[in-house]
Amino acid sequence: MKPSISYRGFLLFENQVNTHISVSYFALYLKWLLNPFIMKQLRVFFLIGISVLLLHSCYSVQFKVSNGQAEPCDTEREDWLSGYCVRELDTVVKVGTITKENPINIKDCESGALHTVEYRNTFGGILLYLVTFGRKRQVKIKYVCIKESN
Amino acid sequence: MATTTITQRTWWDTLHKNGRFPLKWFLSTKLEKKEYLPNAIDRYNDAAKEIQRLLKQALDSGEGFRAIGSKWSMSSIAHQKDRMHFNSYMNIKMAISANEVHANSPYKAENLFFLQCGNQIKEISLYLQEKGKSLKTTGASNGQTIAGCISTGVHGSALDVGSVQDYVVGLNLIIGPNAEDILYLERESKPVLNNLIPKKLRAKIIRNDALFNAALVGLGSFGFIHGVIIEAEDAFLLKRYVRKIPKETALKLSDTLDFKNSDFKIAGEVDANGKPLRPYHYKVFINQYSKEKDYVVEAIYKKPFDPKYKEKYGDPIPFMKEFVYRDLIYLLIRISEKFPKAIPKFVKALSNTILPKEEKPIVGRLSEIFWDAGYQGKAFACSFGVDHKNASKALEVLTKLTRDEGPIPGIFAMRFVKKSEATLAFTKFPITCMIEIDGIQWEKSKKLISLEEYGKRMIEVLQQHNIPFTIHWGKNAAWNFPKLAKHMFPENSEKWTKARSAILSKEMAEVFNNDFLRKLGLDTYHEDDFQHLIASL
Ligand SMILES: Cc1cc2nc3c(=O)[nH]c(=O)nc-3n(C[C@H](O)[C@H](O)[C@H](O)COP(=O)(O)OP(=O)(O)OC[C@H]3O[C@@H](n4cnc5c(N)ncnc54)[C@H](O)[C@@H]3O)c2cc1C
């Protein structure tokens, strides 16, 4: 297929070119919009747009105590938790109509104390919360315990 | 019983990813729970037994064994290809009471603390804080273990204090699997303990200055340091100022450390005659690519402790700290490899976040001023020790090299540290100026030399200019440079290998060897009779 004319930066191909030059500019625009190639391009833009939106609704917040020693580990992480024993909790908690959940018990800190918590919010989590009217809540956290003292 | 988890590995790396080094076994020992073994000495002895069992395993299988701390060293000093032991959970802390102190000891019992090897600087500071005490100095941050610190010689910029090893006054070493292989070592000239504690530890006492000084900065190769005794001091405050001062003033101060007669004066930090006081800490930051007329300097003054310091001066620990995105840094580095000329621009752009800002003075404890480390990604650091009288000359030589044969994605700083008595301390000059370049690792490209080549050139230019130097054992360098150890420590390198041979059996010396030691020729074993060295029992 030989490229023929270009329209707003997109190449249009010969068998797609509008030969009725006399039709209105709007019709031309509509036709351009509906042609499969442009549709594909728009889909890409749409997907990028949605992804940007999703990314923006996905964030994390980190907390750490300043007067405690985090539990160290020999890990290969490169992020801000490098060198620490990082535990992860990824679950969905359910809330009943007349009951409310108690705090999630963290049992694996031998020192009995938390040093760092990273809470992550995702688009999926928000969606789940919305469609279940708040009855299901996604919990995604990373945490580091305080090092056991001796 | 203390328990050790042993995992099979194919490789291991430092915190800042300076390797990938081959490894067979990774070991990590956890102490028995307090509820089953409540007495700290019992738990400590139980751990000693476990370490001896692990040493026997290594010895029997003809393999090496190396204790590691927080793996903060960027050289390969902590690496051993067979067995690496993570000490961090071995963190017993004990105060020493007056009846346990030697009759001729110059130390006050209230300042003496027994720390197991895996205690990290931050937890030690918190522990001492509860007792109204403080460490005398630390590095710029607080994640290293006490045994890791002394094994390389970690320093801050405490001009008249020294390095971490300089307040360690007693060492408990495990040098093999047998009953007689537990030693308690201290200086004969400054004894610390009578025989009560060593007896409880079932340790043989050796009081000998030469052996103690050699074992103090032991490069991980002087046996397993199970515990140390430190001398702490009463809690104090530090007041930190950051100023931009003319380069000439900053450099003249570096060469002379004559604060009293310097133009660098901070209001309020003067004596009765209005002359500037000598700070506790002095550090100069240098962007070698900048043509600015000023350097940023950090001066810290020691103050008596005041429990109301936070109310008066605010909290020294920021509510939140900002860091440059790691991915952004990596991207800049990738670009730099292709277009090295961009490096000075990147360094300038990042210098606002790297360099401390001139703000109102911060007041806090030592552990709050030298706080948690930030960046955790791929990094390098090269650090040379020179006599402070040669500070400006050495800085000129090294920064010129960095501009002419680089540019290198890093920034220089100078810190100043009092001489250490340790045989292989890189702080060997009366006051050593540590000239350091810290930055982000890069890949060699057609236009950019490699870190190895850069490290080699740094040594060469210092040698060409006849500037005597040492290198920080825990930092990046051309460690395979011919006769490097001998060049840095003409007499002391042999004193050290002899002392090591006196303490360790030939078989155990081999167990505690690693490639780092071999590269430097510090693995030499002397078969002579060294009984005279351990005569002062
Ligand atoms: C973010 C950061 C900041 C730093 N700041 C400074 C600074 O301000 N000043 C400074 O001087 N350095 C600094 N360094 C370097 C670092 O502090 C030193 O290399 C230090 O030795 C690392 O201690 P570690 O506990 O991580 O020990 P490792 O790096 O794990 O080991 C160091 C050595 O200690 C030996 N070792 C550890 N435990 C034992 C034991 N129980 N028995 C025998 N040998 C043992 C190891 O075998 C090895 O030889 C910094 C490094 C980083 C990553």
Side-chain angles (χ1 to χ4, degrees):
Chain A
M1 209 189 294
K2 204 167 89 206
S4 179
I5 57 169
S6 90
Y7 181 81
R8 290 198 181 178
F10 293 106
L11 286 178
L12 299 182
F13 296 93
E14 199 150 39
N15 61 347
Q16 297 168 336
V17 173
N18 186 351
T19 46
H20 305 279
I21 312 276
S22 56
V23 295
S24 72
Y25 187 76
F26 181 68
L28 181 68
Y29 181 70
L30 262 185
K31 193 139 193 176
W32 171 80
L33 207 60
L34 292 174
N35 96 44
F37 180 77
I38 297 303
M39 289 286 279
K40 201 169 155 194
Q41 300 282 340
L42 283 176
R43 268 206 302 274
V44 172
F45 279 130
F46 180 71
L47 281 177
I48 292 174
I50 289 285
S51 314
V52 169
L53 212 79
L54 290 184
L55 274 177
H56 277 273
S57 54
C58 169
Y59 64 90
S60 61
V61 189
Q62 294 118 14
F63 307 84
K64 70 173 198 170
V65 295
S66 53
N67 53 348
Q69 173 68 60
E71 188 185 8
C73 260
D74 182 75
T75 64
E76 288 313 320
R77 318 177 70 96
E78 275 184 50
D79 60 3
W80 74 294
L81 295 172
S82 171
Y84 300 132
C85 281
V86 181
R87 297 171 167 92
E88 296 194 22
L89 186 70
D90 187 351
T91 187
V92 173
V93 291
K94 286 185 202 147
V95 184
T97 344
I98 52 165
T99 56
K100 196 182 177 311
E101 81 283 16
N102 273 319
I104 298 169
N105 287 319
I106 291 177
K107 297 180 183 171
D108 48 5
C109 280
E110 288 181 33
S111 61
L114 283 172
H115 179 273
T116 306
V117 177
E118 180 181 289
Y119 164 77
R120 181 169 287 276
N121 198 356
T122 63
F123 182 70
I126 297 173
L127 214 60
L128 183 73
Y129 183 81
L130 287 176
V131 299
T132 62
F133 298 103
R135 289 182 57 200
K136 284 190 178 177
R137 295 162 193 191
Q138 194 181 43
V139 179
K140 255 183 190 296
I141 57 166
K142 283 183 193 162
Y143 58 96
V144 178
C145 305
I146 291 267
K147 181 176 177 180
E148 210 179 354
S149 88
N150 269 289
Chain B
M1 273 286 289
T3 45
T4 304
T5 316
I6 303 183
T7 42
Q8 201 165 6
R9 294 260 183 108
T10 49
W11 55 271
W12 171 87
D13 213 342
T14 62
L15 180 81
H16 282 308
K17 314 287 177 280
N18 305 91
R20 279 228 169 178
F21 304 99
L23 174 65
K24 284 192 202 156
W25 305 104
F26 191 81
L27 296 75
S28 174
T29 300
K30 281 206 164 174
L31 302 178
E32 178 57 286
K33 287 201 170 305
K34 277 185 248 174
E35 59 178 302
Y36 305 129
L37 211 50
N39 182 287
I41 289 270
D42 290 345
R43 260 194 338 280
Y44 186 88
N45 284 338
D46 175 59
K49 215 189 264 174
E50 177 65 358
I51 295 300
Q52 288 199 299
R53 187 182 71 83
L54 300 174
L55 288 177
K56 181 160 171 38
Q57 272 182 0
L59 186 65
D60 290 350
S61 46
E63 291 184 329
F65 179 98
R66 179 148 286 245
I68 63 161
S70 302
K71 60 176 197 166
W72 275 30
S73 297
M74 299 180 201
S75 63
S76 61
I77 192 166
H79 170 249
Q80 207 297 124
K81 66 178 177 35
D82 300 322
R83 290 162 189 250
M84 293 180 62
H85 182 272
F86 190 59
N87 300 329
S88 207
Y89 306 124
M90 300 173 66
N91 62 342
I92 291 171
K93 303 166 194 68
M94 291 180 275
I96 290 185
S97 50
N99 68 328
E100 292 164 333
V101 175
H102 195 281
N104 300 331
S105 178
Y107 307 106
K108 283 191 203 161
E110 59 168 64
N111 286 335
L112 296 173
F113 296 90
F114 197 112
L115 304 170
Q116 206 175 12
C117 56
N119 273 294
Q120 289 169 269
I121 294 297
K122 185 167 186 172
E123 64 183 303
I124 299 170
S125 292
L126 291 168
Y127 168 77
L128 293 178
Q129 192 175 315
E130 287 170 3
K131 313 216 174 290
K133 300 285 172 187
S134 167
L135 291 174
K136 290 170 186 282
T137 180
T138 64
S141 45
N142 55 21
Q144 310 94 325
T145 60
I146 188 72
C149 280
I150 66 169
S151 299
T152 66
V154 168
H155 64 94
S157 193
L159 318 177
D160 301 319
V161 177
S163 311
V164 173
Q165 74 271 9
D166 299 324
Y167 53 78
V168 167
V169 293
L171 290 170
N172 175 214
L173 301 180
I174 304 180
I175 56 165
N178 305 315
E180 66 278 11
D181 290 337
I182 297 184
L183 306 181
Y184 171 69
L185 195 56
E186 61 179 25
R187 289 190 182 97
E188 189 183 16
S189 61
K190 290 180 194 161
V192 185
L193 296 182
N194 58 29
N195 56 8
L196 277 180
I197 292 184
K199 209 168 158 191
K200 286 185 196 163
L201 305 181
R202 295 169 210 133
K204 183 162 103 184
I205 305 176
I206 300 178
R207 292 201 179 90
N208 182 298
D209 287 27
L211 289 184
F212 181 81
N213 291 337
L216 202 49
V217 173
L219 314 184
S221 308
F222 230 98
F224 185 93
I225 303 166
H226 189 193
V228 303
I229 296 187
I230 61 154
E231 188 201 16
E233 65 177 75
D234 289 344
F236 57 88
L237 290 177
L238 293 176
K239 191 165 188 180
R240 172 184 182 263
Y241 299 84
V242 175
R243 292 282 187 273
K244 273 190 169 180
I245 63 172
K247 275 182 187 176
E248 299 73 38
T249 310
L251 292 176
K252 192 171 166 207
L253 257 181
S254 307
D255 289 345
T256 61
L257 293 178
D258 180 8
F259 289 89
K260 199 171 177 184
N261 297 306
S262 156
D263 300 337
F264 175 53
K265 200 183 220 178
I266 291 176
E269 303 300 343
V270 288
D271 64 15
N273 303 319
K275 294 271 190 189
L277 291 173
R278 188 175 173 84
Y280 163 89
H281 161 121
Y282 175 64
K283 181 171 180 179
V284 186
F285 296 85
I286 303 112
N287 175 358
Q288 64 279 10
Y289 306 121
S290 164
K291 294 207 168 65
E292 273 184 53
K293 291 199 185 86
D294 294 335
Y295 281 155
V296 174
V297 300
E298 182 184 62
I300 300 180
Y301 298 82
K302 196 168 173 178
K303 307 280 171 193
F305 188 73
D306 172 358
K308 297 219 166 96
Y309 70 99
K310 283 191 188 165
E311 287 164 40
K312 288 187 184 162
Y313 304 101
D315 193 339
I317 296 170
F319 176 67
M320 256 169 78
K321 241 182 156 176
E322 287 178 356
F323 295 109
V324 185
Y325 280 108
R326 200 182 59 251
D327 292 342
L328 174 67
I329 294 179
Y330 286 172
L331 177 71
L332 295 183
I333 292 301
R334 293 289 90 80
I335 297 172
S336 309
E337 286 155 8
K338 295 231 158 53
F339 307 103
K341 284 193 180 133
I343 290 177
K345 290 196 182 69
F346 293 154
V347 171
K348 190 166 192 312
L350 293 179
S351 58
N352 276 349
T353 46
I354 304 169
L355 296 179
K357 291 184 187 64
E358 268 188 292
E359 2 171 69
K360 70 176 175 80
I362 295 174
V363 177
R365 295 170 188 270
L366 176 86
S367 57
E368 292 169 327
I369 299 293
F370 302 107
W371 205 56
D372 299 1
Y375 174 74
Q376 303 288 9
K378 291 178 183 159
F380 81 94
C382 302
S383 179
F384 286 80
V386 298
D387 189 323
H388 83 91
K389 291 183 184 134
N390 285 328
S392 61
K393 188 175 161 196
L395 180 74
E396 168 62 26
V397 165
L398 293 174
T399 50
K400 184 172 182 318
L401 168 84
T402 308
R403 284 189 302 266
D404 295 352
E405 297 183 32
I408 302 300
I411 198 159
F412 275 92
M414 293 197 287
R415 290 191 274 176
F416 302 85
V417 200
K418 189 180 142 187
K419 182 181 164 71
S420 174
E421 286 182 57
T423 316
L424 282 193
F426 50 77
T427 44
K428 71 167 193 177
F429 303 100
I431 291 189
T432 301
C433 167
M434 296 303 301
I435 306 183
E436 345 176 64
I437 175 165
D438 287 9
I440 312 299
Q441 282 174 39
W442 74 96
E443 292 287 329
K444 176 189 164 78
S445 71
K446 275 187 200 146
K447 296 180 185 165
L448 201 53
I449 61 170
S450 67
L451 178 57
E452 290 70 30
E453 287 161 337
Y454 178 55
K456 184 167 164 246
R457 290 290 296 133
M458 290 176 110
I459 295 174
E460 284 171 352
V461 293
L462 286 172
Q463 286 185 338
Q464 279 156 15
H465 288 83
N466 292 320
I467 302 174
F469 66 87
T470 55
I471 304 179
H472 188 314
W473 298 111
K475 305 257 172 127
N476 299 104
W479 289 110
N480 53 2
F481 195 92
K483 303 199 172 81
L484 185 58
K486 198 94 195 138
H487 181 83
M488 298 193 294
F489 300 94
E491 282 112 44
N492 280 10
S493 54
E494 195 173 275
K495 270 192 199 163
W496 187 84
T497 52
K498 283 191 168 162
R500 184 168 178 262
S501 309
I503 291 276
L504 301 179
S505 69
K506 194 168 183 196
E507 300 72 46
M508 287 314 294
E510 195 46 39
V511 169
F512 290 118
N513 263 345
N514 71 349
D515 281 346
F516 183 80
L517 216 62
R518 288 187 196 101
K519 246 185 248 176
L520 283 154
L522 290 171
D523 61 325
T524 309
Y525 192 83
H526 305 263
E527 307 262 7
D528 329 19
D529 178 12
F530 290 113
Q531 278 313 303
H532 62 283
L533 272 177
I534 48 173
S536 57
L537 294 187

